[in-house]
Amino acid sequence: MADIKNLTVLPRPRSAWQAMDAGFTLARAHYVKLVILWLGFSIPVFLACAALQLATGWSMWSLMLLLWWWFKPLYELPIHLYLSRALFSEELSLRETWKLALSHFGKLFKTYLTLARLSPARALTYGVVFLEQLPRKQRGARIDTLKSEKTRHFLLVQVCFHIEYIMAYAVITAVALLFFSDAISELDFAAYQAAVESPDSHPWLIAASMTSLIAAALVAPFYVTSGFLLYINRRMQLEAWDIEHRFRSIRPRSGLGITAIVLLAFSLSQSEPSLAEDRASSMISPVSANAIVEEILADEDFGSIETRWEPILDFDNDWDDSDLSFFDKLNGSTTTFALIAKALLWIGIAIFIMLLIHTLRQFRRPEIRTGALSRKGRDVEDAKSHPLTQNLPTDIVAAAEHLLAQGERRQALSVLFRGALRAIMEQYDLNVARGATESDCKQSIASVASQLQKNTFTRLLGVWQNEAYANQPQPEQTIASLIDEWKTAFVIHANDNTQASDSAL
Amino acid sequence: MIDSTQFATAHENLNKLRNNFGQVVIGQQQTIDELLICVAAGGHVLIEGVPGLAKTLLARCLAFSAQADDVRIQFTPDLMPSDIVGHAMFDHEQQTFSVREGPVFANVVVADEINRAPAKTQSALLEAMQEQQVSIEGETRALPQPFIVIATQNPIEQEGTYPLPQAQLDRFLCKVLIEYPSPEEELLMLQQITHESIANQLDLSRLQAVITVDDVIAIQKAASFISVDAVVQKYVVSIVTATRSWNGIDIGAGPRGSIALLRAARAHALLHGNDFVTPDDVKKVAATVLRHRVQLTPDLEIEGYTPDDVISSLLTAVEAPRA
């Protein structure tokens, strides 16, 4: 495991964008070597695929490109291994790098030449697989940890993918337009298969393959380097390499052999290549840096304690009481409002309790509950308000005799019937239902009236019903005799009541 | 018009029927009276009561006492209209279609558990009740007279039933409620029914035919001629119209309710030997005539009120004639 004290870059946390910019800068600094490392494995594979394709025929030429594309992690592995060693002060030669890459072939085939080949985070996870060398289960957890924050690796893939294929097909198109313009005009995409199999299209296929190889070689260093620095950036964030490095390396190391990597460290935060170059050109040498450090250590301020005073507000003591005068004015009103609210609350509680008691009373005593059948009007009336006793003359006998004399037998019997009822109701303080019929009235008075009154009332009802409902005119003598009986049964009692009232007065 | 002799005969025959019921039906005098009122008024009756309260016995007793044809139809969910009114069938010997009359062609039809049959079948019977005739294969046939339908329904076990719609309930003149007999009546029932009797057969041996079918028609004719004063007619209308705006009644009785109430009041007067209708007659039959014609509001139903409670309240408040 590499020691952090051998780190050749100045570690500090950067954003994903800054890390990718640094990756592009680093790739440019080592571009040629990185391209060679990439081609070292890609060309043999390309030739092998081409040979395989030549053996099977030109019709499956695109399959050759696909097979070659599938082995891209194999070509990228030397670049990654070279950068990882250079980061920790170990500069590998091309041969050593390829040799080291060969030793990782087994792991590479088991990890990246499976479905993981399609992972857009390939460049980000190379470090986990080939540097940390964690077991498979821990590797997944580690990768998840790295991806816990946005690393923008998908954007890196998109950018590199577009640059690569735009470049490839731009070259093809340019070459075709310059040298094979006639062939382009004659190309019929509907007869693509026939065109591919024709000898005339073979130069096209070769040109397309070669341009794809060249485009991939040109873009690959940027992709792998940017992915590697994304990985390093995440480790710096997670493991605080910057703090640890500062503690361990107060003094710059002398005798560093990899000056270029030191220069790279200072250029990581720069996205503009020209600015990075300026920084590199103005970079101080290790000797002059050592002098600066000695100067800083000799300074009397170094290691001293600086005391800073921060104001702390004490509202209890520092607050100006005059500022509270406004609240003092409100103090009395607030108290009044609180008292009113408190009184309203008590009133509400009292109303609630009363309603509760009322509800419980009705619930427990259904007989006092106002039923659904109850109405505003009374169903039972006394003598003064009962419909049967309304519009009756004071002197019933005189009125009946008068009506009988006029031949109004029905009206005379009606006055006698209703007058008898009123007399009994008044005499016995009896209430009768508004809808009471003749038999209801007879039943009502049965329990209170005298026998004479009941007999007279019964006979009266019979005559009245025959006259009123049966349309059977009753003899005048019968009605006259009823008037006489009425006098005996009801007038005497009426006079008694009147006399009693007079004596009381 | 009918003379006093015809009226007296009708009243006497009605009383014969009433007394004859007492030979086999123990107690249930109110039910018997209401049934006889329906018979006299020429209406149909819907009897509601739990099983075993002599609903079928009442119908059989009526038919036997009046020497009338009677039939009992057990309403079931698979009963078809043609099972009631009849149908046309092909006669192979005559090579023609002939009409086979259904059980509805009888003087007294007992529709047992009428709410068990689907609405289509119920409608077939109710049409016969209203029109007093049925149509089979386009041929109209008059039903025998008198034609009285005594339908029964069970207030419990409502699962799988088809409750009669309000419009169809309106066809019944009265809805009679049969209550449980008193303990004394039930004891008497045990002594009479179980003595020298096998199983649960209806013992009609003590009955005798007291009147004829023509007498029933005469009773109905006599009832229809009973005089009704204008104030009583107004009283009838007042009661029925009050149901339409009464607190607690959602749907009141229609005009058919007024007609039925007056017809029942006439029959009640006849039953009690009066040749005129008094407000008392109206009031006495109001509940049995109106209880199935009003629909209570949901809140009253939830609180357990019955139509009889509301009608009683209504009768207490509606002013009776006074002049």
Side-chain angles (χ1 to χ4, degrees):
Chain A
M1 193 69 184
D3 192 348
I4 196 173
K5 65 184 179 184
N6 297 324
L7 200 63
T8 56
V9 298
L10 182 61
R12 67 179 179 86
R14 296 177 175 84
S15 68
W17 309 112
Q18 290 172 331
M20 280 190 277
D21 283 341
F24 274 69
T25 304
L26 183 61
R28 286 179 60 190
H30 299 274
Y31 192 68
V32 175
K33 199 170 184 177
L34 297 178
V35 169
I36 293 172
L37 286 172
W38 192 87
L39 288 172
F41 282 142
S42 67
I43 289 176
V45 175
F46 181 82
L47 293 176
C49 291
L52 183 65
Q53 193 59 57
L54 287 172
T56 56
W58 288 90
S59 61
M60 300 297 287
W61 188 258
S62 56
L63 191 62
M64 184 278 279
L65 281 177
L66 178 63
L67 189 62
W68 172 80
W69 172 84
W70 189 263
F71 282 92
K72 266 190 174 182
L74 177 65
Y75 325 143
E76 294 165 352
L77 179 60
I79 298 176
H80 177 75
L81 293 175
Y82 175 80
L83 292 172
S84 63
R85 297 304 184 275
L87 184 66
F88 293 98
S89 308
E90 184 181 359
E91 187 173 17
L92 297 177
S93 63
L94 293 175
R95 184 186 295 272
E96 289 172 335
T97 306
W98 281 323
K99 193 176 178 179
L100 183 63
L102 286 173
S103 66
H104 288 86
F105 263 26
K107 190 176 292 181
L108 178 80
F109 276 84
K110 284 191 287 187
T111 52
Y112 289 108
L113 296 182
T114 60
L115 284 178
R117 164 67 183 84
L118 303 174
S119 169
R122 187 176 74 244
L124 176 67
T125 57
Y126 278 149
V128 178
V129 175
F130 299 114
L131 301 182
E132 298 181 31
Q133 299 185 355
L134 296 172
R136 189 174 178 178
K137 290 183 179 177
Q138 295 180 16
R139 192 192 308 157
R142 178 65 172 168
I143 292 172
D144 289 339
T145 304
L146 292 177
K147 291 181 182 178
S148 60
E149 281 194 10
K150 290 182 179 177
T151 55
R152 312 290 180 185
H153 57 272
F154 189 74
L155 185 67
L156 175 66
V157 172
Q158 278 195 318
V159 169
C160 293
F161 177 84
H162 283 88
I163 291 174
E164 180 179 343
Y165 285 96
I166 288 171
M167 189 183 298
Y169 290 106
V171 171
I172 293 171
T173 307
V175 171
L177 288 173
L178 289 173
F179 302 105
F180 305 99
S181 57
D182 294 335
I184 290 176
S185 63
E186 293 173 3
L187 187 64
D188 183 6
F189 287 96
Y192 172 74
Q193 190 66 25
V196 167
E197 290 179 356
S198 69
D200 295 338
S201 62
H202 292 171
W204 280 100
L205 296 176
I206 295 171
S209 302
M210 292 302 293
T211 50
S212 297
L213 175 66
I214 294 168
L218 294 175
V219 173
F222 295 103
Y223 172 68
V224 177
T225 308
S226 296
F228 177 66
L229 283 184
L230 281 173
Y231 163 72
I232 293 298
N233 190 50
R234 283 295 294 145
R235 286 199 66 176
M236 286 183 186
Q237 293 172 351
L238 292 169
E239 297 166 18
W241 281 7
D242 52 338
I243 299 173
E244 187 179 355
H245 187 267
R246 287 187 185 185
F247 275 112
R248 289 190 177 194
S249 307
I250 297 296
R251 296 189 178 200
R253 292 184 304 273
S254 59
L256 292 177
I258 311 175
T259 308
I261 294 180
V262 175
L263 295 174
L264 167 67
F266 284 92
S267 65
L268 283 179
S269 60
Q270 302 297 323
S271 59
E272 291 293 330
S274 57
L275 185 58
E277 290 172 355
D278 292 341
R279 289 281 301 271
S281 62
S282 62
M283 189 67 67
I284 56 175
S285 65
V287 177
S288 58
N290 195 18
I292 292 171
V293 170
E294 292 292 344
E295 183 183 351
I296 293 171
L297 291 175
D299 193 284
E300 60 180 3
D301 290 338
F302 186 79
S304 62
I305 298 173
E306 181 183 356
T307 305
R308 299 179 64 185
W309 296 90
E310 297 284 342
I312 300 174
L313 291 177
D314 186 352
F315 289 96
D316 292 334
N317 298 322
D318 297 346
W319 193 265
D320 187 1
D321 290 343
S322 61
D323 296 337
L324 296 172
S325 58
F326 173 73
F327 296 101
D328 288 340
K329 294 174 183 175
L330 287 178
N331 191 26
S333 302
T334 309
T335 306
T336 305
F337 290 146
L339 288 172
I340 293 171
K342 189 177 180 181
L344 290 174
L345 184 63
W346 276 111
I347 291 170
I349 291 172
I351 292 172
F352 173 76
I353 291 172
M354 286 164 56
L355 286 174
L356 187 64
I357 292 171
H358 178 70
T359 306
L360 288 175
R361 273 185 80 225
Q362 288 205 330
F363 181 75
R364 297 188 62 181
R365 295 178 59 194
E367 67 273 12
I368 66 168
R369 183 174 52 189
T370 52
L373 298 179
S374 64
R375 298 180 303 109
K376 290 180 180 177
R378 290 183 299 174
D379 291 337
V380 178
E381 304 283 1
D382 57 14
K384 292 180 180 177
S385 56
H386 199 283
L388 286 174
T389 62
Q390 302 303 302
N391 302 321
L392 276 176
T394 307
D395 190 347
I396 297 295
V397 174
E401 288 174 343
H402 177 69
L403 288 169
L404 183 62
Q406 291 183 335
E408 299 287 344
R409 294 187 296 268
R410 178 169 179 156
Q411 294 301 321
L413 287 170
S414 173
V415 167
L416 288 174
F417 160 61
R418 295 188 290 137
L421 183 65
R422 184 180 69 178
I424 294 172
M425 291 173 72
E426 286 178 345
Q427 183 178 353
Y428 301 103
D429 199 16
L430 181 68
N431 292 332
V432 177
R434 292 172 63 89
T437 57
E438 286 80 0
S439 62
D440 293 331
C441 294
K442 182 181 174 182
Q443 193 175 358
S444 296
I445 70 170
S447 58
V448 295
S450 64
Q451 191 61 42
L452 176 63
Q453 289 173 328
K454 285 191 280 188
N455 292 338
T456 304
F457 194 79
T458 302
R459 185 162 173 265
L460 177 60
L461 280 185
V463 176
W464 152 251
Q465 286 182 331
N466 281 316
E467 174 70 34
Y469 305 131
N471 293 321
Q472 296 172 359
Q474 299 299 301
E476 288 186 8
Q477 293 175 346
T478 305
I479 298 174
S481 67
L482 269 176
I483 293 173
D484 292 337
E485 288 182 34
W486 201 98
K487 287 176 188 173
T488 309
F490 302 109
V491 171
I492 295 172
H493 296 289
N495 291 337
D496 290 345
N497 290 340
T498 305
Q499 289 172 1
S501 302
D502 293 342
S503 61
L505 289 172
Chain B
M1 287 292 291
I2 58 169
D3 55 26
S4 57
T5 308
Q6 291 173 311
F7 173 80
T9 305
H11 170 62
E12 185 182 352
N13 287 336
L14 207 51
N15 271 326
K16 284 180 181 174
L17 276 178
R18 191 185 197 188
N19 296 331
N20 213 34
F21 273 108
Q23 299 295 320
V24 291
V25 179
I26 299 166
Q28 307 289 1
Q29 196 57 53
Q30 176 74 18
T31 303
I32 293 171
D33 283 354
E34 290 178 352
L35 176 62
L36 291 177
I37 287 168
C38 279
V39 171
H44 310 286
V45 60
L46 175 65
I47 302 177
E48 185 174 284
V50 296
L53 294 183
K55 295 190 292 288
T56 307
L57 178 62
L58 280 172
R60 294 291 305 279
C61 186
L62 173 65
F64 189 85
S65 301
Q67 303 179 54
D69 296 331
D70 70 307
V71 66
R72 176 179 176 274
I73 307 171
Q74 181 65 46
F75 276 56
T76 55
D78 59 347
L79 191 70
M80 300 299 291
S82 58
D83 297 333
I84 296 174
V85 298
H87 58 275
M89 60 183 296
F90 187 73
D91 188 343
H92 286 281
E93 294 181 357
Q94 304 292 330
Q95 290 294 303
T96 56
F97 280 96
S98 60
V99 173
R100 183 172 187 177
E101 294 180 343
V104 76
F105 287 87
N107 296 118
V108 179
V109 176
V110 180
D112 215 355
E113 298 196 89
I114 190 172
N115 55 341
R116 299 261 172 221
K120 188 178 180 180
T121 308
Q122 292 173 359
S123 297
L125 179 64
L126 295 169
E127 183 183 358
M129 291 162 59
Q130 179 69 21
E131 306 293 334
Q132 302 279 320
Q133 62 184 23
V134 294
S135 296
I136 305 170
E137 296 294 325
E139 182 183 345
T140 302
R141 292 187 170 221
L143 294 170
Q145 294 300 318
F147 176 68
I148 301 166
V149 173
I150 301 174
T152 70
Q153 66 178 15
N154 191 343
I156 59 173
E157 298 172 350
Q158 294 294 317
E159 295 83 3
T161 62
Y162 301 86
L164 294 169
Q166 202 69 26
Q168 294 185 350
L169 283 172
D170 209 23
R171 317 281 174 159
F172 290 100
L173 184 80
C174 297
K175 180 180 179 182
V176 178
L177 303 178
I178 294 189
E179 303 295 339
Y180 285 110
S182 65
E184 294 77 17
E185 291 171 344
E186 194 158 346
L187 179 62
L188 187 60
M189 192 187 305
L190 288 176
Q191 293 167 351
Q192 287 190 3
I193 291 177
T194 58
H195 181 65
E196 297 178 355
S197 175
I198 300 172
N200 289 325
Q201 294 175 350
L202 293 177
D203 184 13
L204 302 178
S205 60
R206 287 189 295 273
L207 278 181
Q208 53 183 338
V210 291
I211 60 172
T212 63
V213 170
D214 292 336
D215 291 332
V216 175
I217 295 173
I219 290 171
Q220 293 175 347
K221 185 178 179 183
S224 67
F225 277 99
I226 286 178
S227 112
V228 183
D229 190 71
V231 293
V232 178
Q233 293 175 1
K234 286 181 183 177
Y235 182 54
V236 169
V237 174
S238 297
I239 291 172
V240 174
T241 52
T243 64
R244 299 168 193 164
S245 59
W246 199 255
N247 179 30
I249 295 179
D250 203 6
I251 300 173
R256 195 177 279 132
S258 300
I259 297 168
L261 184 55
L262 193 55
R263 285 170 59 195
R266 278 191 164 115
H268 185 269
L270 176 64
L271 184 65
H272 290 85
N274 298 322
D275 58 352
F276 59 94
V277 177
T278 65
D280 286 315
D281 294 319
V282 176
K283 203 169 183 177
K284 290 283 173 54
V285 297
T288 187
V289 171
L290 296 177
R291 63 166 63 109
H292 59 291
R293 301 177 198 273
V294 298
Q295 186 171 324
L296 300 189
T297 53
D299 54 333
L300 255 69
E301 287 185 344
I302 291 169
E303 290 188 33
Y305 287 99
T306 63
D308 283 18
D309 297 327
V310 183
I311 292 168
S312 174
S313 167
L314 183 146
L315 293 173
T316 305
V318 174
E319 293 179 18
R322 56 178 173 174

